[in-house]
Amino acid sequence: RHTRFRNVTGVQTCALPILGARWRFSGSLTNLLSLAQETSSVTNRPKSSDWESVVRDVLSTVEKIRFSSPPTISLTALGDVKDLTTFRAALSLRGDSAKSPWGDAHELFFRSSVGPSTQPGEQMSASLNIKLKGAITRWGELKEATVVSDTLHPLTNSAPFQSVWRLHGEMVASDWFSGRNINVTLNTHATEKSNLLTVAQLTAENPRLPVGTATRAEFKAQLEHAYPIAALNGFLSDFLPVKPMPKGEILTLGQNWNGDWRLGLSNLRTKNATAKEVSVSGDVRERKEKIAADETWGAWRDFADLEIHWNAEATDYASPDARIEKIAGRGAWIAPSFTVETIDSQLYGGAFHLETSVDVPTRRVALETRFDFDLKKTASMFDEAVRPILNQFTWEKPPKLEATKI
């Protein structure tokens, strides 16, 4: 049932079969015709061909999806189309099995909504909810997956940006990663510096990685970066007939970005070794002062503007050639030098220590090492020509050896 087309246009209920789906439309829109009249009088409005191209792409994509039974798609729109702060819309889809050029999916539910936020300040709230029984694609297989997202997008500088994404999968399998009970969280919010802080967390059971397998994996990283509101609002200003705010008022910032990360693996098993616990962590930041780098740096030139620190540790490391109770190291890349500040390990009743640094432009290497473990117990790691030399020596207590090279 439709009202007359004046400044108020409303559709209370409407059900139509379109593109093999059951569509339901509902809502009430005001100032629809006046907006169209204003749009037609603007010389720099988007060309109709641009909109037609977008519609054709959407329809072409939908036509490639084949459902085993017609899905139900609901669309609701409410508000004044000339005032984005009053506009509300929701789209939902529920369907059984579906086939597409990208793969097959089973029992899909999708719901997305957008509308004014109840939080203080001028901002829009958007949410997304996806549930999937299973999917098989060219990239891998997925079972019992859910995606939940909530975002607060500011229309002016009066409100902060905030976004939370939560992903869960009972099973994921691909060529480069697989695991069970996988949970991923992405949380982005404004900081006191007016930058954004994005925190990513991942946990997985029985993961399979390029380096091997483990019983559990935990990863956490955070990145502080510039506010993306300029890019986001710029897209809206160019694309939508309803302008969220004048472009001149969009917030822009220039702080240097920085971040850190930590990866932990339990009971890691590789092709040639095992370790009870392995952890790798570090931080990376953009240098405040740029450094000149030329082609003589090779691949290091691409990292000249970054400052990186790292730490690594493994316990109960074992391989056919050696057994190490604990090994830990840390280092840094601060152009023009790459430094291994220390590698320390405990093995065969003794210890091993190594320090080294490389000056990239000159290729100058400095190295210092010392150890007092029983070297003969690691003879299998050496070349066959070296082993007879070690067999010439005997000792009750392993000697302490030191070496330095510059």
Side-chain angles (χ1 to χ4, degrees):
R1 186 174 60 187
H2 302 264
T3 64
R4 291 183 178 273
F5 283 89
R6 293 182 180 175
N7 272 345
V8 179
T9 300
V11 181
Q12 292 181 342
T13 57
C14 179
L16 296 172
I18 304 175
L19 295 174
R22 295 188 297 269
W23 291 74
R24 295 181 178 274
F25 301 93
S26 63
S28 177
L29 300 176
T30 60
N31 284 317
L32 185 61
L33 294 183
S34 61
L35 176 64
Q37 294 170 356
E38 292 178 8
T39 303
S40 63
S41 64
V42 179
T43 57
N44 62 348
R45 70 183 187 279
K47 298 180 181 179
S48 60
S49 59
D50 296 336
W51 290 96
E52 291 170 0
S53 177
V54 173
V55 173
R56 282 197 302 268
D57 291 343
V58 172
L59 294 178
S60 176
T61 301
V62 173
E63 287 179 343
K64 295 177 182 178
I65 303 174
R66 295 288 182 264
F67 287 90
S68 59
S69 60
T72 299
I73 302 176
S74 300
L75 176 62
T76 302
L78 300 167
D80 187 342
V81 296
K82 295 185 65 177
D83 185 0
L84 191 62
T85 61
T86 68
F87 187 78
R88 299 176 182 272
L91 173 67
S92 67
L93 180 150
R94 186 184 296 273
D96 295 326
S97 300
K99 293 181 178 293
S100 74
W102 310 282
D104 301 341
H106 306 283
E107 297 185 24
L108 171 65
F109 172 78
F110 170 94
R111 188 180 190 279
S112 179
S113 64
V114 61
S117 171
T118 58
Q119 302 293 330
E122 296 182 51
Q123 55 188 333
M124 298 294 287
S125 174
S127 66
L128 176 68
N129 192 324
I130 301 175
K131 294 182 180 180
L132 190 65
K133 184 73 173 179
I136 300 177
T137 72
R138 68 184 70 173
W139 305 283
E141 184 178 359
L142 183 65
K143 291 184 179 179
E144 299 290 350
T146 59
V147 179
V148 179
S149 172
D150 294 291
T151 300
L152 294 178
H153 177 72
L155 300 178
T156 67
N157 297 347
S158 63
F161 179 90
Q162 184 174 348
S163 177
V164 179
W165 288 77
R166 299 181 181 88
L167 297 86
H168 172 78
E170 285 297 325
M171 191 280 291
V172 173
S174 68
D175 293 338
W176 61 275
F177 174 82
S178 66
R180 295 185 176 276
N181 192 21
I182 298 166
N183 293 281
V184 180
T185 302
L186 294 173
N187 190 326
T188 301
H189 61 273
T191 67
E192 294 181 356
K193 300 177 182 178
S194 298
N195 265 4
L196 286 183
L197 180 66
T198 297
V199 180
Q201 292 181 287
L202 180 147
T203 60
E205 297 177 1
N206 302 319
R208 178 178 58 82
L209 305 165
V211 297
T213 62
T215 57
R216 183 174 175 81
E218 295 183 3
F219 176 78
K220 182 177 181 180
Q222 63 180 25
L223 177 67
E224 186 173 348
H225 50 95
Y227 221 98
I229 190 173
L232 293 173
N233 275 351
F235 169 79
L236 291 174
S237 296
D238 293 336
F239 189 73
L240 296 178
V242 181
K243 308 302 181 185
M245 60 176 294
K247 283 189 177 181
E249 298 178 14
I250 292 176
L251 179 63
T252 57
L253 295 166
Q255 287 86 354
N256 295 333
W257 60 269
N258 66 85
D260 58 68
W261 75 91
R262 184 186 184 281
L263 172 65
L265 299 172
S266 298
N267 301 309
L268 176 65
R269 182 178 295 274
T270 69
K271 183 178 180 180
N272 299 314
T274 61
K276 184 177 181 180
E277 297 289 343
V278 175
S279 66
V280 181
S281 61
D283 61 78
V284 57
R285 64 192 67 249
E286 187 180 13
R287 291 179 60 133
K288 295 181 179 180
E289 298 180 358
K290 306 299 181 181
I291 185 171
D294 55 34
E295 60 277 1
T296 62
W297 286 42
W300 294 99
R301 184 180 183 182
D302 298 332
F303 304 96
D305 294 335
L306 301 181
E307 183 176 321
I308 304 172
H309 298 81
W310 58 269
N311 296 272
E313 182 177 304
T315 60
D316 293 339
Y317 172 89
S319 72
D321 297 324
R323 185 174 185 85
I324 302 175
E325 300 168 17
K326 181 179 179 180
I327 181 170
R330 67 176 185 269
W333 161 250
I334 304 176
S337 299
F338 175 78
T339 304
V340 177
E341 298 174 3
T342 178
I343 292 181
D344 291 295
S345 62
Q346 301 171 4
L347 67 165
Y348 301 114
F352 171 83
H353 176 83
L354 173 68
E355 298 178 21
T356 184
S357 64
V358 179
D359 184 76
V360 171
T362 63
R363 303 297 195 270
R364 184 180 181 183
V365 178
L367 184 145
E368 179 181 341
T369 183
R370 59 181 180 271
F371 55 88
D372 60 0
F373 63 90
D374 192 341
L375 195 61
K376 296 182 65 175
K377 291 185 178 181
T378 63
S380 60
M381 300 175 61
F382 294 93
D383 187 86
E384 292 184 0
V386 178
R387 297 174 191 174
I389 299 177
L390 289 176
N391 292 332
Q392 298 178 19
F393 299 92
T394 59
W395 47 67
E396 295 181 0
K397 184 177 180 180
K400 293 183 180 181
L401 301 177
E402 295 185 9
T404 301
K405 177 178 176 57
I406 298 179

